[in-house]
Amino acid sequence: MTDEKIGSKDESIYQQLISNSRIEMEQIHGLSDEGKKKIIQSGKNRARMTNIMISLACLLFILPVLTLGTYLYYAIGGRANHLMDVAAKTIYVTEPNMSVEEMELEEDIGIFSMDIMFDVFKRIGSEDYKAGEYSIHFYLDQPNFPKKEWKLDRPLAEVQMPETEVMVHPKNDVPFDTQSQWDLLKGLPDGTVSEVYLSFSKIMRPKEVEELLSMDVESRWYAVNSGLESKGFDKEGLPVSPIGYPSQIDTTTWSPFNGRESNEKVFLDILKLLAKKEEVAVKVARAKSLNLDERISYIEKNGIEVYGAVVTGPTAELRKLEQIKDIRAMKVGEVKLWNWE
């Protein structure tokens, strides 16, 4: 093949390439504005979907890691069990005549948080009745105020103030008409059992209270004098929560007042436990001040002194309490149909 023919063939191939390139450029640049927008939007959608998929993949990886970390946080040192123990024991010493079935406490651990749920019970007559349900949300170890659902006919005031007290220190004025409460008790049918809150005219020792109430009724809870009750407020002006303890042995194995040690000793031990987590106990209790260190010091120095009690039994028998001169005031609590044995 001559050089002239080879050159002609190369030129033909070159021209073909130029022609093809021109056609492709015309096809691209010949798109309408609408077509160009569709191509651009398609590219954006692909990029957005890619970002979403990457984010989901990261979340699916991170969430299990955070959840596992939260479980470890509450597991190390038994932190979850300790917080539940503090909440349950706060009920025993700040809520008159209430108990918790600690074996029934439930927990739900989320990311950096834990919810605990439990029921509280009241003894009315000779039976325990479900008084309400508690739900407490913890962010790490900091609790929110409990959510409560009461199932009582006469629940205690949610905002605890001196004027809402049902057991009153001898030095304080009674904030309710006690005669109308005795009249209410007299108006109840004999075939019922009742719960009443008693306020004494003087400070007494637990043994003296037992002798005072030696009739066919059962004392359930003692309100303990801790040096602050006569004031009603702490030094910052916050209302002080009454504290006390069950006056009867609870034979259930999970109860702290199960008879292995005296109720007085268990009560003081619980106060010392709560003092280490007082911010949790204050949130669980109805009043917003406990001043536990000061109160523990007073009780250790002066011993257990009682100024009020919760008593339950046959309504007809409870009416006889009006004749006891050392009972200064009475307020009616819950009433149920006869169940006394």
Side-chain angles (χ1 to χ4, degrees):
M1 186 178 293
T2 63
D3 292 342
E4 185 177 323
K5 288 182 177 181
I6 293 172
S8 177
K9 187 175 181 180
D10 290 342
E11 184 177 351
S12 176
I13 294 171
Y14 177 73
Q15 290 297 329
Q16 186 64 42
L17 290 172
I18 293 295
S19 178
N20 291 340
S21 297
R22 186 181 298 114
I23 290 170
E24 290 178 3
M25 290 293 290
E26 287 175 354
Q27 288 176 342
I28 293 173
H29 293 286
L31 287 174
S32 64
D33 289 342
E34 188 65 29
K36 292 176 182 178
K37 288 179 180 178
K38 287 183 178 179
I39 292 174
I40 293 171
Q41 187 61 45
S42 176
K44 288 181 177 179
N45 289 341
R46 280 200 201 92
R48 187 178 295 114
M49 185 57 67
T50 300
N51 288 337
I52 291 173
M53 296 304 292
I54 291 172
S55 298
L56 286 174
C58 290
L59 284 174
L60 290 173
F61 174 75
I62 292 172
L63 286 176
V65 172
L66 294 178
T67 302
L68 177 61
T70 305
Y71 271 94
L72 289 174
Y73 174 84
Y74 285 114
I76 292 173
R79 185 178 276 111
N81 289 336
H82 181 63
L83 291 172
M84 289 191 290
D85 193 41
V86 168
K89 285 182 169 58
T90 298
I91 300 298
Y92 278 103
V93 300
T94 64
E95 293 292 345
N97 190 26
M98 279 197 188
S99 61
V100 179
E101 290 193 10
E102 296 189 36
M103 295 295 290
E104 301 297 325
L105 265 73
E106 298 179 8
E107 63 183 71
D108 182 18
I109 295 178
I111 296 176
F112 303 135
S113 67
M114 176 179 69
D115 291 282
I116 63 172
M117 294 77 68
F118 56 90
D119 298 333
V120 292
F121 297 83
K122 260 183 178 285
R123 175 66 63 87
I124 306 162
S126 60
E127 292 185 17
D128 290 322
Y129 292 86
K130 184 175 177 179
E133 301 170 355
Y134 273 65
S135 175
I136 307 174
H137 178 77
F138 287 84
Y139 178 73
L140 296 180
D141 61 352
Q142 297 301 310
N144 290 337
F145 291 109
K147 293 180 180 178
K148 306 172 187 177
E149 183 177 337
W150 294 116
K151 301 184 181 298
L152 300 172
D153 295 321
R154 297 167 64 85
L156 298 181
E158 193 59 39
V159 179
Q160 199 166 20
M161 300 286 288
E163 57 266 27
T164 64
E165 290 301 341
V166 293
M167 287 175 286
V168 187
H169 191 276
K171 292 184 178 179
N172 296 341
D173 294 332
V174 177
F176 53 86
D177 181 3
T178 189
Q179 186 56 53
S180 69
Q181 293 296 309
W182 287 115
D183 292 342
L184 174 60
L185 195 66
K186 292 170 187 175
L188 294 173
D190 286 350
T192 58
V193 291
S194 300
E195 170 199 49
V196 298
Y197 303 94
L198 303 179
S199 302
F200 303 133
S201 58
K202 62 180 181 179
I203 298 296
M204 289 187 278
R205 298 293 180 182
K207 199 69 176 175
E208 294 177 275
V209 178
E210 290 177 21
E211 294 171 358
L212 187 72
L213 303 175
S214 57
M215 48 199 303
D216 190 24
V217 296
E218 184 179 272
S219 61
R220 294 298 307 167
W221 199 85
Y222 289 154
V224 173
N225 179 44
S226 62
L228 297 179
E229 285 72 21
S230 61
K231 304 171 187 174
F233 297 91
D234 65 10
K235 59 185 177 182
E236 296 178 358
L238 295 172
V240 176
S241 169
I243 57 173
Y245 65 95
S247 50
Q248 298 291 326
I249 299 297
D250 187 347
T251 56
T252 52
T253 56
W254 60 77
S255 171
F257 297 93
N258 54 24
R260 294 194 182 103
E261 296 180 296
S262 71
N263 284 11
E264 290 81 4
K265 182 179 185 308
V266 173
F267 167 62
L268 199 53
D269 288 343
I270 287 177
L271 294 186
K272 292 176 181 178
L273 169 72
L274 299 186
K276 297 175 182 177
K277 276 288 184 182
E278 188 161 342
E279 71 280 4
V280 175
V282 166
K283 284 287 181 70
V284 176
R286 283 182 299 125
K288 296 306 128 196
S289 179
L290 289 174
N291 287 80
L292 290 175
D293 287 336
E294 182 178 347
R295 298 172 107 172
I296 290 168
S297 177
Y298 181 94
I299 294 170
E300 287 182 328
K301 180 180 179 181
N302 296 279
I304 300 291
E305 299 175 332
V306 177
Y307 67 88
V310 183
V311 177
T312 189
T315 301
E317 196 73 14
L318 292 171
R319 295 187 193 118
K320 299 176 183 178
L321 296 171
E322 187 177 12
Q323 308 305 317
I324 300 176
K325 63 180 180 62
D326 286 327
I327 294 177
R328 178 188 180 208
M330 182 278 295
K331 191 171 182 65
V332 178
E334 298 298 308
V335 180
K336 297 293 182 183
L337 292 176
W338 185 267
N339 62 27
W340 195 252
E341 297 177 359

